[in-house]
Amino acid sequence: MSTLATDNDILNEAERWKKAGKGVAIATVVETWGSAPRPVGSHLVIDEDGNFLGSVSGGCVESAVVTEALDVIENGKPRLLEFGVADEAAWKVGLSCGGRISVYVQMIEAAPTTAHK
Amino acid sequence: MDVQLLAGLNAARAARQPCVVVTELADGSSRLVQPDELAKAPLAGTALSEAIGEGLRSGRSAMVEIDGKQLFLAVQVPPVKLVVIGAVHISQALAPMAAQVGFEMIVVDPRTAFASPERFPDVRVLAEWPDIALPTLGIDAYTAFIVLTHDPKIDDPGISHALERNCFYIGALGSSRTHKKRAERMRAAGYTEEQIGRIHAPIGLNIGAISPAEIAVSILSQIIATLRAERVAAKAAKAAA
């Protein structure tokens, strides 16, 4: 029987993908306004082939996040995406629940980065 | 975030250690902070230390702005562990449901005929008495603990251990009458009313459950309701305002 991916599965899978030599990005819900389908801290992980695990919304914006993540994997620069009713025209996707969410997409790097204070 | 940090985060989660990943949004640089670092240099006394401490207390991830930098604090609290005393029919129904909601389920029952791997293919089963098995399981405040055997010899030591380890949910199967007798035994053993009051009994939300699977749903629902009580209360307060 297949089960839904838990947070543990999602982050472990990201680690496995990266250690297998794939380009990997991690998308995280960093802010929500109004009624949002997934809480702050929810993750979606994406590999360079567009495979993904987890969710940042009820399925409304995942495909847009995956597309952005593939760009992030390619150029390494993190980006902050906003989705919601107000941004519908810009993103062509919206949250049916009427809320807004902010999703941060960053690449998993191979080598340690400099820690900030 | 780099793969070493991710591996460290996964290791902390596997070891059930709370931690916080601090990410600076401008450049994506991240660091993993363990609770014991908050009181040490260089973090001690900083606004960041305070914000991380608050995150660990509330269990909530959040954006913060510190020294003009936008930081995201990803708070990682251990996943819920569900310890079940009694390898009974309800436990069998509960196993796949617990897996679906992401609870790590462990079954303890000294009766080997019940506690067999055949009856619980995907679950850790210990065919031991609770006083032998429980101390090895790292039962903590992120653990939900339920007793289902109806046998005080097996159930009662389990409840004692759960109270000692401050489990966030403790539930006991049995009628109100059975629970009354249990409460009497506990009073005689020196437990306070506050401690006895922590036990959900009869177990589960009252949804009129009949079958083992339905009872499993009612138990799981009550565990989730307890886990999310703060969230429910906040929403109710907002609605009332």
Side-chain angles (χ1 to χ4, degrees):
Chain A
M1 190 188 68
S2 78
T3 55
L4 284 168
T6 63
D7 285 352
N8 262 3
D9 301 333
I10 294 162
L11 296 172
N12 283 320
E13 190 69 8
E15 185 185 336
R16 270 193 295 275
W17 284 346
K18 188 65 209 174
K19 286 184 170 167
K22 296 244 173 178
V24 179
I26 179 162
T28 307
V29 177
V30 292
E31 274 187 293
T32 67
W33 297 267
S35 80
R38 298 280 289 129
V40 169
S42 303
H43 294 301
L44 174 71
V45 296
I46 306 98
D47 80 358
E48 63 186 32
D49 300 323
N51 295 308
F52 64 91
L53 193 69
S55 71
V56 291
S57 74
C60 328
V61 303
E62 269 70 11
S63 60
V65 174
V66 169
T67 306
E68 291 289 322
L70 293 175
D71 273 0
V72 168
I73 290 170
E74 204 154 300
N75 71 22
K77 287 210 179 64
R79 53 182 83 167
L80 190 62
L81 313 173
E82 283 209 16
F83 297 99
V85 176
D87 301 312
E88 216 160 354
W91 286 103
K92 298 196 178 65
V93 287
L95 297 175
S96 50
C97 50
R100 278 197 299 142
I101 60 171
S102 218
V103 178
Y104 187 68
V105 187
Q106 65 189 128
M107 189 176 74
I108 307 291
E109 288 125 28
T113 48
T114 319
H116 62 84
K117 292 258 163 76
Chain B
M1 182 186 288
D2 65 67
V3 70
Q4 272 182 20
L5 190 152
L6 181 60
L9 171 61
N10 283 329
R13 289 181 65 94
R16 299 179 69 76
Q17 290 162 349
C19 61
V20 176
V21 178
V22 182
T23 301
E24 188 175 340
L25 295 199
D27 62 5
S29 63
S30 300
R31 61 185 287 190
L32 184 66
V33 179
Q34 312 272 4
D36 63 356
E37 292 174 54
L38 296 182
K40 293 181 197 158
L43 271 176
T46 61
L48 179 58
S49 169
E50 201 166 300
I52 293 172
E54 174 53 31
L56 283 167
R57 274 187 294 279
S58 70
R60 278 206 205 102
S61 301
M63 289 263 278
V64 293
E65 194 176 320
I66 290 171
D67 299 335
K69 288 176 179 169
Q70 280 215 298
L71 305 175
F72 181 66
L73 309 184
V75 178
Q76 307 284 338
V77 293
V80 171
K81 187 187 297 212
L82 172 59
V83 175
V84 182
I85 303 295
V88 297
H89 202 167
I90 295 168
S91 325
Q92 287 179 291
L94 197 52
M97 297 180 195
Q100 284 281 357
V101 295
F103 293 177
E104 181 205 347
M105 180 164 151
I106 303 164
V107 178
V108 176
D109 196 323
R111 303 166 298 179
T112 48
F114 287 81
S116 75
E118 291 76 28
R119 283 162 54 83
F120 293 91
D122 301 316
V123 172
R124 192 169 158 207
V125 183
L126 299 172
E128 301 269 11
W129 285 89
D131 57 340
I132 304 289
L134 297 180
T136 68
L137 296 180
I139 289 164
D140 57 21
Y142 303 100
T143 303
F145 196 100
I146 62 178
V147 300
L148 306 177
T149 71
H150 279 119
D151 182 345
K153 277 202 311 298
I154 307 175
D155 284 353
D156 287 7
I159 291 173
S160 299
H161 189 79
L163 284 168
E164 196 180 298
R165 298 297 180 97
N166 198 25
C167 294
F168 77 90
Y169 176 92
I170 303 172
L173 188 70
S175 64
S176 302
R177 210 164 57 96
T178 304
H179 184 57
K180 220 173 132 193
K181 283 191 202 149
R182 181 186 295 118
E184 279 164 18
R185 285 194 305 275
M186 290 181 69
R187 264 178 223 114
Y191 285 95
T192 64
E193 292 306 315
E194 194 269 331
Q195 287 174 310
I196 296 167
R198 290 210 48 219
I199 301 165
H200 292 268
I203 199 170
L205 292 186
N206 185 3
I207 56 171
I210 293 175
S211 70
E214 289 173 4
I215 295 167
V217 168
S218 89
I219 294 171
L220 203 53
S221 305
Q222 192 170 46
I223 294 171
I224 294 168
T226 307
L227 181 66
R228 308 298 187 202
E230 201 181 306
R231 185 177 148 83
V232 173
K235 280 203 169 175
K238 210 172 152 192

